[in-house]
């Protein structure tokens, strides 16, 4: 069997894209009909394959499930996930694979986008789902090949990362402030942050803000302006540009 993360393949067909709520989903799979990727948002599941291999996944973990595989899922801690099932052009035998996403926001956005497109079935929805899947695979590969970086990288930027997640909706976080928390220069902070997360600090913060704003808009409880302000944006033009850059659609598309 080949290593999933070391193979480059073409997606030939999307079979399903969906959200799997807590307490739902099939626990025993025999001769799986397509390849699958699942992002676990919460909980803990153990996948036990016919070969005897087991993979345990927690929140923010992705698991790859090969076509024709046999496996059983044990819900250690019930949780929710998003899934995409697909076929590829050249059939190859690939090993099941799991990995933690250190920056889950971009892949979560892609899974949500694909699930929404599949549900709505608007013209071109299969292209949207395919584009989202390719984006997920791209992010996974970048994350996989950056894992050789030593943990000391994260240790140096950890105070800033914790500050970002506590206060990203409060307004503008400056690089000088964040690097100062880490006791390093702004230039070195940017370099370490991008090496570890694959994106600049500003892009990382904006992705968090936009994901939060999109969730508020989709809830139906907030206007676009209210969602922007609650997510830390005061400039609506900038918010709209960032929103479309990240989601591919203007904010009002999700009302």
């Amino acid at each position: 069997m080949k290593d999933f993360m070391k193979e480059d393949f073409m997606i030939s067909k999307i079979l399903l894209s969906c959200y799997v709520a807590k307490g739902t989903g099939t626990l025993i799979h025999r001769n799986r009909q397509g390849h699958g990727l699942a992002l676990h948002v919460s909980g803990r599941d153990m996948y036990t394959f016919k070969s005897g291999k087991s993979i345990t996944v927690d929140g923010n973990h992705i698991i790859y499930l090969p076509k024709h595989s046999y496996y059983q899922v044990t819900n250690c801690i019930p949780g929710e996930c998003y899934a995409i099932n697909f076929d590829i052009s050249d059939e190859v035998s690939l090993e099941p694979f799991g990995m933690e996403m250190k920056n889950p926001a971009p892949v979560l956005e892609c899974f949500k986008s694909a699930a929404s497109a599949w549900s709505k079935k608007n013209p071109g929805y299969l292209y949207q789902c395919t584009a989202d899947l390719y984006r997920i695979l791209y992010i996974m590969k970048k994350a996989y090949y950056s894992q050789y970086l030593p943990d000391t990288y994260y240790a140096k930027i950890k105070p800033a990362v914790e500050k970002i997640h506590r206060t990203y909706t409060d307004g503008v976080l400056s690089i000088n402030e964040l690097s100062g928390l880490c006791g390093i220069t702004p230039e070195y902070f940017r370099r370490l942050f991008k090496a570890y997360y694959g994106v600049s600090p500003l892009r990382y913060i904006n992705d968090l803000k936009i994901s939060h704003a999109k969730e508020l808009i989709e809830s139906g409880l907030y206007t676009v302006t209210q969602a922007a302000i609650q997510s830390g944006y005061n400039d609506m033009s900038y918010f709209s540009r960032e929103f479309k850059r990240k989601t591919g659609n203007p904010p009002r598309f999700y009302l």
Side-chain angles (χ1 to χ4, degrees), residues 196-248:
Y196 195 80
Y197 284 104
V199 294
S200 69
L202 178 61
R203 175 60 59 86
Y204 184 86
I205 293 167
N206 275 337
D207 283 351
L208 286 174
K209 288 182 175 183
I210 295 302
S211 293
H212 183 63
K214 184 170 178 286
E215 289 175 357
L216 295 180
I217 294 169
E218 287 181 321
S219 74
L221 301 175
Y222 299 86
T223 65
V224 169
T225 300
Q226 288 170 336
I229 293 171
Q230 294 249 6
S231 302
Y233 290 99
N234 292 316
D235 184 332
M236 291 303 298
S237 295
Y238 179 63
F239 168 71
S240 295
R241 289 196 303 273
E242 283 296 302
F243 196 100
K244 189 168 185 180
R245 172 194 65 76
K246 178 161 177 54
T247 68

Side-chain angles (χ1 to χ4, degrees), residues 19 29 32 38 63 78 85 121 149 169 172 241:
Y19 166 73
H29 295 256
R32 183 184 173 86
I63 187 167
N85 296 341
K121 295 290 192 299
L149 294 171
T169 61
V172 177
R241 289 196 303 273

Side-chain angles (χ1 to χ4, degrees), residues 83-94:
I84 300 180
N85 296 341
F86 57 96
D87 274 332
I88 59 179
S89 299
D90 298 318
E91 286 302 327
V92 291
S93 183
L94 300 169

Side-chain angles (χ1 to χ4, degrees), residues 153 156-157 179 183-193:
Y153 277 45
K156 284 187 171 70
I157 62 173
S179 61
I184 56 180
T185 65
E187 294 75 18
Y188 188 41
F189 172 72
R190 286 191 186 94
R191 189 159 67 249
L192 287 181
F193 195 99

Side-chain angles (χ1 to χ4, degrees), residues 14 16-20 81-85 107-122 125 128-130 132-133 136 214 218 254:
I14 301 294
L16 174 69
S17 182
C18 65
Y19 166 73
V20 183
C81 73
Y82 285 86
I84 300 180
N85 296 341
V107 286
L108 177 58
E109 190 65 39
C110 291
F111 272 100
K112 286 182 175 180
S113 172
S116 175
W118 183 272
S119 174
K120 293 176 181 176
K121 295 290 192 299
N122 289 327
Y125 76 97
Q128 179 67 58
C129 292
T130 304
D132 287 326
L133 177 54
I136 291 166
K214 184 170 178 286
E218 287 181 321
Y254 296 97

